[in-house]
C-alpha cells in the first residue's frame, strides 16, 4: 500500500495543476485523495492501539503497525481494510496511465517546478486607460510615488545610484493602473530623460526581456541577435548617461532584475535613475532590494467602485439615469467584488451584455457567477496564477483558509493549529508551529491574505471575497461553506463526498438548522460552526467518527460534550464562547489531541484530571473561562508549545507555577492571577528564563480599573506591602533573551521589574513589541527601554499615573530610538511624548492633558481620538506628519469645516492630508460627518452644511 501510494503521489502535483481546468482529471484526483485519507485512518487506528497498550508500543515509527498485527482480531480487521485499499489503488493507478501525467517529483517536495502549458501571460504597456481611474485615492497614491521617486537622496552609497521601489498587492487590485498613472505623470516626463516599460510576467525569457528593454530605451536590438552579452552591451549604450525610469510590471521572480537587467544598467545609468516594480509577492520586492516600506494598494471604496462599474456599463448620456436606478443592486455586486478593481471591471463587462433591467441585474447578483467555471477568464486567470505558483502544502493551507467564517476573527495560532492537525504542515515535530507560521506569512507575502490592521503583529488576516470564492470553487469536491441564506443547500449536497463543512449561522433563528440534519456527513474530517444550531437530547458528535478538527463557537455545546471522547481521530478541539460547563473526565483517552481552545467558556470551572495524560497536546487556551486551578501533574505535558490563561494559584505548599518548570518547549505563555502568589520562590520554580523557545510572554494580575482608566473604587488603595510583593514576584519572572513580545496586564507595582531597568537590559535584546495595560501605580517607563535595539511597537493602555513617555530632554543620548509605532490610550494624566526619532505612526486616544509632542521627526501618521475634544491640541503646530486622522466632537468638526476662517486652521493647515470625523444621532440613527483636507494640491471637502457654522441648528448631509 505504501509503495503504490508513493508512486501515485508523484503524479499528484501534476494532477492537482490540471484538476481545475480538466474535468476528466477531477474524479481521479478525488478517488486518490479519498484512498490516501483512508490510509491515514488505518495508520491512526494502529497508532492508537499501540498507545493504549502502553510504552511498549511507542518505539520506532513502524512499531505501532507491527504491534497491532500481534492481536489476531485487530490484525484481521486492519489486514482486510489494507487489502481493499490495495485493490482500489490498482484501479486508480491503471486509470492514471490514460492521463499521461508528468512526474513532478514527490508531491511534498514539489515547488514551482513548471509553468502550466496553458499559463496566462498578460501583456501591459505604459499607456494609461482613463476608464480605469476613479476616486481621489489613486491620484493621491500616484502623487506620493512621484514624490518618493523624484526626491534627491543625499547619500554616499554608490548603490543608491539606482533605487528600486515596489508596488505590492493581490492580483487584480490595480497595481498596473497605479503604475501607469505614475508613468504618465507630467513631473515624471520632466524628471527622466528616458522611460522604459517592461511587462515581465511569470515565464519571462531573458533574451526577450533584454530585447524589449533595448527597444524601450530607443536602441536597436535586431543587430545583436540572440547573444545575451551582446544584448547587454547594446542596452548599456542605449541608456548610457541618461537619468532613466524603468517600470517592471507583474514581476514574479526577482531574477528578472538581479540576474538580467541590473548588471547592464548599473554602470551606465545616470545618478537618480529609478526602478519601479509591481508584484504580488513581497519576497520579489525584497529580492530586488526595494526601498521599504513598499507601497500596498488598498481595495476600492464602495463609491469609487460604483463609479468604476458605471464607467463599464454606461454607453451614452441617456443610459446614466437608468443605471443610477439600479445602484442598490450594483452595490450588492460591488460588495461581492470586495473592492477588487479587476473584479469590478469584469463584472461590468458581464453587465454590458445584459439589459438595463432590475431582473437582469438581480440575476447577476444572485447567480453563482463567482465560481471559476462561470467567471470571465480574465478574473479566473488573475487568481489562478497566484494559486498555481504555490507549493502543494501552501495550496492546502490557502484552500483551508477560505473555509473560515467571515464574521469571526480567527487568530494565527488557531489557524496554524488547524493546519498542523490536518497534516498540511510537513516537518520535524519540534518546529511545526514555526513552519505553520512561515506558511501563514508566505500567504501574506503573496497577498492572498492581508493583515487585519486592528491587530498587532499580523495576528489576524482577511481574505478578499473574490479570492475566497476562487478557493472555495477549487475545493468544491471536498468542502462546503454555507451562510445564513444558504443553509438549505446542506440537504441538497452529497454527504458522502464532503470532508470539510463550514457553517455560519450568526443571527439565524434557532429552528433554521438542527444538529441532526448534519449526521449524514459521516466522512467529515473538519467541522467549523459559528452561530446557533438547535441541539436536542440524544444528538451526538459520534456521527462524525473520522473528525480530525472541530471548531464550534457560540452554540449550546454542553449536550454534545459527553460524546466528545468518541472522536478517536480528533486532534483539534476548539469550543469557544459556548455554554460548556464540563469536559469529559476520560478526555485523557483522546490520545491524538494536540490543540484545545476553551476561550470564553465562562461556565467551565475545572479541567478533568486526566488531561495530564494528553502527551500529544501542543496548545491549550483557558482565557475567559472560570478555571482558577489546574490539576497536579500538569508539568508532564512537556509537548506543550502554547499555553494561555494559565492560573497562578497556591494549594498549601504547592503552587501551580511549579508545573511550568518542566515545560521547556513553550513558545507562547500567558499566566493569570499572579497577585495570588505570595512567595517569590514559587516564581523561581517556573524557570521562565530557561525556556529558550519562548517568544511571547503575558504576565497578568486581576485588573482594578474601570474602562476610563480610573480605579474600580478609589478607596481601595493598594498598600505598599502589596506593591513590594508584586514587584519582587515579577523580578523573578525574568524572560529568556529570545523573547520578542512582552505584555503586562494589571501590574500594580510602582516601577517595572528590574530586568527592564538594568543598564544593559540583556534579557530584552530581541524584544520587538511591548504592551503595558492597566498599570495603576507605575509613574514612568524605565530608562532601560532606551537600550532595546529591536523594539518596534509600544502600547500603553490605562496608565493613569504616567505623565510622560520618552526621556525628558530633547537630543538626549538615551531615546526610544527603535520604536516606529506607538499607541497611548486612556491615560488621563499623560502630558508629554518625546524623543522617539524613528516613530512613524502614533495613535493617541483619551489623553486630555497631553500638551507636548516633540522629538518625532519621522512621524508620518498621527491619529487622535477624543469624542469630547472641543479644540485641537497646540502641539499639532510643532509636528509635521503627512497624515492626520481625527475623531472628535461634532462642535470641533463644525469649526474645522469653516476652513481658513476657523480658529483651528493654523494648527492643521501645514499637514499634507487631514481626515476628521464626528458622529451624531438623528432619532436613534447614527450619522457620520467628515472634513477632508489636502494641502497640495489644495482640496477641501465636508458634508457639514454651511448653516451649521454659525448656529446650533440641526446639521444635514449635503
Amino acid at each position: 500500500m505504501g509503495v503504490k501510494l508513493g508512486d501515485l503521489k508523484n503524479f499528484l502535483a501534476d494532477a492537482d495543476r490540471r484538476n481545475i481546468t480538466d474535468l476528466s482529471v477531477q474524479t481521479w484526483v478525488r478517488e486518490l485523495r479519498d484512498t490516501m485519507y483512508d490510509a491515514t485512518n488505518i495508520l491512526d487506528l494502529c497508532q492508537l492501539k499501540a498507545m493504549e497498550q502502553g510504552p511498549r508500543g511507542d518505539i520506532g515509527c513502524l512499531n505501532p503497525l507491527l504491534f497491532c498485527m500481534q492481536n489476531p482480531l485487530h490484525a484481521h480487521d486492519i489486514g482486510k481494510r489494507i487489502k481493499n485499499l490495495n485493490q482500489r489503488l490498482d484501479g486508480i493507478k491503471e486509470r492514471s496511465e490514460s492521463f499521461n501525467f508528468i512526474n513532478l517529483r514527490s508531491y511534498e517536495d514539489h515547488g514551482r517546478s513548471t509553468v502550466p502549458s496553458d499559463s496566462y501571460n498578460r501583456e501591459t504597456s505604459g499607456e494609461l486607460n482613463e476608464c480605469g481611474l476613479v476616486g481621489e485615492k489613486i491620484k493621491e497614491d500616484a502623487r506620493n510615488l512621484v514624490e518618493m521617486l523624484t526626491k534627491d537622496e543625499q547619500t554616499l552609497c554608490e548603490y543608491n545610484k539606482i533605487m528600486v521601489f515596489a508596488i505590492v498587492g493581490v492580483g487584480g487590485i490595480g497595481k498596473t493602473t497605479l503604475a501607469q498613472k505614475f508613468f504618465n505623470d507630467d513631473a515624471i516626463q520632466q524628471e527622466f530623460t528616458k522611460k522604459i516599460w517592461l511587462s515581465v510576467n511569470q515565464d519571462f525569457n531573458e533574451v526577450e526581456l533584454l530585447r524589449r528593454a533595448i527597444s524601450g530605451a530607443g536602441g536597436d536590438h535586431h543587430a545583436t541577435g540572440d547573444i545575451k552579452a551582446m544584448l547587454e552591451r547594446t542596452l548599456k549604450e542605449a541608456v548610457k548617461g541618461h537619468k532613466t525610469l524603468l517600470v517592471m510590471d507583474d514581476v514574479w521572480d526577482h531574477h528578472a532584475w538581479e540576474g538580467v537587467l541590473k548588471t547592464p544598467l548599473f554602470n551606465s545609468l545616470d545618478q537618480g535613475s529609478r526602478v519601479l516594480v509591481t508584484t504580488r509577492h513581497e519576497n520579489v520586492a525584497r529580492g530586488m532590494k526595494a526601498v521599504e516600506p513598499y507601497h500596498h494598494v488598498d481595495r476600492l471604496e464602495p463609491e469609487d467602485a460604483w463609479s468604476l462599474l458605471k464607467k463599464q456599463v454606461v454607453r451614452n448620456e441617456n443610459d446614466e439615469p437608468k443605471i443610477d436606478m439600479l445602484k442598490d443592486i450594483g452595490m450588492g455586486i460591488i460588495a461581492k467584488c470586495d473592492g477588487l478593481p479587476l473584479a469590478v471591471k469584469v463584472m461590468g463587462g458581464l453587465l454590458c451584455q445584459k439589459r438595463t433591467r432590475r431582473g437582469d441585474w438581480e440575476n447577476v447578483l444572485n447567480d453563482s457567477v463567482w465560481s471559476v467555471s462561470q467567471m470571465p477568464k480574465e478574473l479566473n486567470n488573475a487568481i489562478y496564477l497566484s494559486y498555481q505558483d504555490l507549493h502543494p502544502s501552501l495550496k492546502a493551507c490557502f484552500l483551508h483558509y477560505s473555509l473560515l467564517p467571515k464574521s469571526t476573527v480567527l487568530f494565527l495560532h488557531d489557524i496554524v493549529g488547524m493546519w498542523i492537525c490536518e497534516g498540511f504542515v510537513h516537518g520535524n515535530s519540534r518546529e511545526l508551529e514555526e513552519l505553520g507560521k512561515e506558511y501563514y506569512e508566505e500567504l501574506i507575502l503573496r497577498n492572498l491574505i492581508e493583515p487585519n490592521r486592528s491587530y498587532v503583529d499580523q495576528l489576524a488576516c482577511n481574505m478578499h471575497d473574490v479570492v475566497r470564492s476562487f478557493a472555495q470553487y477549487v475545493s468544491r469536491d471536498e468542502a462546503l461553506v454555507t451562510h445564513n441564506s444558504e443553509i438549505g443547500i446542506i440537504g441538497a449536497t452529497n454527504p458522502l463526498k464532503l470532508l470539510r463543512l463550514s457553517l455560519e449561522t450568526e443571527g439565524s433563528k434557532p429552528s433554521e438548522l438542527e444538529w441532526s440534519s448534519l449526521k449524514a456527513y459521516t466522512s467529515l474530517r473538519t467541522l467549523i460552526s459559528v452561530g446557533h444550531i438547535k441541539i436536542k437530547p440524544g444528538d451526538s458528535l459520534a456521527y462524525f467518527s473520522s473528525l480530525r478538527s472541530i471548531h464550534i463557537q457560540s452554540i449550546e455545546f454542553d449536550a454534545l460534550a459527553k460524546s466528545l471522547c468518541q472522536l478517536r481521530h480528533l486532534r483539534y478541539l476548539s469550543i469557544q464562547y459556548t455554554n460548556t460547563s464540563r469536559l469529559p473526565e476520560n478526555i485523557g483517552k483522546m490520545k491524538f489531541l494536540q490543540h484545545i481552545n476553551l476561550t470564553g467558556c465562562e461556565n467551565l470551572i475545572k479541567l478533568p484530571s486526566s488531561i495530564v495524560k494528553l502527551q500529544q497536546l501542543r496548545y491549550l487556551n483557558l482565557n475567559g473561562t472560570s478555571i482558577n486551578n489546574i490539576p497536579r501533574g500538569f508539568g508532564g505535558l512537556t509537548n506543550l508549545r502554547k499555553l494561555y490563561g494559565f492560573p497562578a494559584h497556591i494549594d498549601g505548599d504547592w503552587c501551580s507555577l511549579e508545573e511550568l518548570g518542566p515545560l521547556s518547549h513553550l513558545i507562547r505563555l500567558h499566566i493569570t492571577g499572579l497577585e495570588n502568589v505570595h512567595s517569590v520562590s514559587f516564581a523561581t520554580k517556573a524557570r521562565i528564563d530557561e525556556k529558550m523557545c519562548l517568544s511571547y510572554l503575558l504576565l497578568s494580575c486581576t485588573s482594578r480599573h474601570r474602562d476610563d482608566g480610573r480605579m474600580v473604587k478609589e478607596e481601595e488603595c493598594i498598600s505598599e506591602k502589596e506593591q513590594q510583593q508584586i514587584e519582587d514576584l515579577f523580578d523573578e519572572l525574568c524572560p529568556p533573551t529570545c523573547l520578542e513580545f512582552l505584555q503586562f496586564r494589571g501590574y500594580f507595582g510602582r516601577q517595572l521589574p528590574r530586568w527592564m531597568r538594568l543598564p544593559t537590559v540583556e534579557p530584552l535584546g530581541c524584544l520587538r513589541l511591548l504592551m503595558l495595560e492597566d498599570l495603576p501605580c507605575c509613574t514612568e517607563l524605565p530608562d532601560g527601554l532606551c537600550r532595546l535595539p529591536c523594539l518596534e511597537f509600544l502600547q500603553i493602555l490605562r496608565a493613569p499615573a504616567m505623565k510622560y513617555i520618552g526621556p525628558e530632554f530633547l537630543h538626549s543620548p538615551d531615546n526610544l530610538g527603535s520604536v516606529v509605532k506607538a499607541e497611548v490610550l486612556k491615560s488621563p494624566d499623560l502630558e508629554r511624548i518625546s524623543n522617539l526619532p524613528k516613530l512613524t505612526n502614533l495613535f493617541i486616544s483619551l489623553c486630555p492633558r497631553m500638551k507636548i509632542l516633540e522629538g518625532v521627526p519621522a512621524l508620518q501618521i498621527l491619529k487622535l481620538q477624543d469624542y469630547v475634544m472641543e479644540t485641537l491640541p497646540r502641539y499639532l503646530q510643532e509636528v509635521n506628519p503627512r497624515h492626520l486622522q481625527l475623531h472628535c466632537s461634532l462642535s470641533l468638526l463644525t469649526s474645522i469645516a469653516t476652513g481658513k476662517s476657523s480658529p483651528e486652521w493654523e494648527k492643521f493647515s501645514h499637514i499634507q492630508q487631514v481626515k476628521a470625523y464626528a458622529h451624531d444621532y438623528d432619532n436613534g440613527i447614527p450619522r457620520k460627518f467628515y472634513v477632508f483636507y489636502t494641502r497640495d494640491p489644495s482640496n477641501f471637502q465636508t458634508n457639514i452644511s454651511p448653516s451649521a457654522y454659525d448656529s446650533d441648528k440641526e446639521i444635514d448631509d449635503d
Side-chain angles (χ1 to χ4, degrees), residues 398-455:
F398 167 69
L399 297 179
H400 183 275
Y401 202 99
S402 71
L403 305 180
L404 307 180
K406 288 175 58 179
S407 66
T408 304
V409 175
L410 287 177
F411 295 113
L412 162 66
H413 44 251
D414 281 318
I415 295 164
V416 168
M418 286 188 193
W419 293 348
I420 291 172
C421 294
E422 284 270 14
F424 299 155
V425 182
H426 303 283
N428 187 297
S429 173
R430 292 184 178 180
E431 58 190 25
L432 288 178
E433 281 76 12
E434 193 58 37
L435 279 172
K437 185 180 178 184
E438 288 178 11
Y439 288 4
Y440 180 85
E441 290 171 347
E442 179 80 1
L443 293 179
I444 294 173
L445 288 172
R446 291 174 177 268
N447 287 281
L448 289 170
I449 58 177
E450 55 185 18
N452 185 326
R453 295 176 184 175
S454 300
Y455 301 91

Side-chain angles (χ1 to χ4, degrees), residues 51 565 570-571 573 583-584 586-596 607-620 633-634 636-640:
M51 293 166 76
C565 288
L570 197 69
R571 287 148 166 83
L573 172 65
L583 292 176
N586 58 346
I587 196 172
K589 292 184 176 180
M590 301 179 71
K591 301 295 185 181
F592 291 125
L593 265 182
Q594 299 179 34
H595 186 111
I596 300 177
L607 288 173
S609 57
S610 68
I611 198 170
V612 301
K613 297 180 181 179
L614 297 178
Q615 294 300 308
Q616 304 274 356
L617 196 64
R618 308 175 73 91
Y619 176 103
L620 178 62
F634 190 89
L637 298 176
T638 54
N639 214 25
L640 270 174

Side-chain angles (χ1 to χ4, degrees), residues 887-906:
H887 296 266
C888 62
S889 67
L890 186 55
S891 60
L892 176 55
L893 189 71
T894 303
S895 174
I896 293 172
T898 62
K900 292 182 179 180
S901 61
S902 169
E904 310 295 332
W905 176 255
E906 295 300 324

Side-chain angles (χ1 to χ4, degrees), residues 225-469:
D226 291 338
I227 301 173
K228 185 179 178 182
M230 296 290 289
L231 289 168
E232 288 177 345
R233 194 173 301 120
T234 304
L235 178 58
K236 288 174 67 173
E237 290 299 321
V239 297
K240 190 173 184 179
H242 285 276
K243 187 175 180 180
T244 302
L245 169 67
L246 169 63
V247 174
M248 300 177 67
D249 186 41
D250 197 22
V251 180
W252 290 75
D253 186 343
H254 70 272
H255 179 75
W257 167 247
E258 291 288 322
V260 182
L261 297 174
K262 180 180 174 181
T263 298
L265 293 178
F266 187 74
N267 294 319
S268 54
L269 291 180
D270 198 9
Q271 185 77 29
S273 294
R274 301 287 185 257
V275 176
L276 178 65
V277 56
T278 74
T279 180
R280 304 175 183 208
H281 200 331
E282 286 196 16
N283 277 347
V284 171
R286 196 170 295 155
M288 292 178 65
K289 300 179 178 66
V291 175
E292 295 189 51
Y294 314 134
H295 181 88
H296 283 80
V297 182
D298 294 326
R299 62 188 75 191
L300 289 174
E301 293 293 331
E303 286 299 327
D304 290 339
W306 170 245
S307 297
L308 180 59
L309 187 69
K310 280 179 62 176
K311 282 190 174 186
Q312 313 303 309
V313 297
V314 172
R315 300 178 182 85
N316 52 59
E317 293 179 356
N318 296 330
D319 271 357
E320 188 162 1
K322 299 178 184 177
I323 300 300
D324 284 335
M325 294 290 290
L326 301 173
K327 183 176 180 179
D328 58 325
I329 307 173
M331 294 303 281
I333 294 172
I334 283 167
K336 284 193 172 184
C337 293
D338 197 32
L340 200 67
L342 179 59
V344 176
K345 289 178 183 177
V346 296
M347 293 314 297
L350 183 62
L351 290 170
C352 274
Q353 304 170 33
K354 309 292 182 182
R355 296 170 297 184
T356 52
R357 296 180 180 175
R358 293 189 69 83
D360 288 27
W361 278 44
E362 284 174 347
N363 287 338
V364 171
L365 174 62
N366 298 324
D367 200 3
S368 55
V369 296
W370 309 97
S371 67
V372 170
S373 62
Q374 296 181 5
M375 272 199 294
K377 186 177 181 180
E378 185 182 10
L379 184 56
N380 176 3
N381 284 328
I383 311 300
Y384 173 76
L385 287 180
S386 291
Y387 170 76
Q388 185 53 43
D389 197 53
L390 296 173
H391 182 281
S393 292
L394 262 181
K395 285 181 179 177
C397 296
F398 167 69
L399 297 179
H400 183 275
Y401 202 99
S402 71
L403 305 180
L404 307 180
K406 288 175 58 179
S407 66
T408 304
V409 175
L410 287 177
F411 295 113
L412 162 66
H413 44 251
D414 281 318
I415 295 164
V416 168
M418 286 188 193
W419 293 348
I420 291 172
C421 294
E422 284 270 14
F424 299 155
V425 182
H426 303 283
N428 187 297
S429 173
R430 292 184 178 180
E431 58 190 25
L432 288 178
E433 281 76 12
E434 193 58 37
L435 279 172
K437 185 180 178 184
E438 288 178 11
Y439 288 4
Y440 180 85
E441 290 171 347
E442 179 80 1
L443 293 179
I444 294 173
L445 288 172
R446 291 174 177 268
N447 287 281
L448 289 170
I449 58 177
E450 55 185 18
N452 185 326
R453 295 176 184 175
S454 300
Y455 301 91
V456 298
D457 211 29
Q458 301 180 340
L459 190 60
C461 281
N462 302 317
M463 178 180 268
H464 269 285
D465 282 352
V466 174
V467 178
R468 184 188 300 272
S469 296

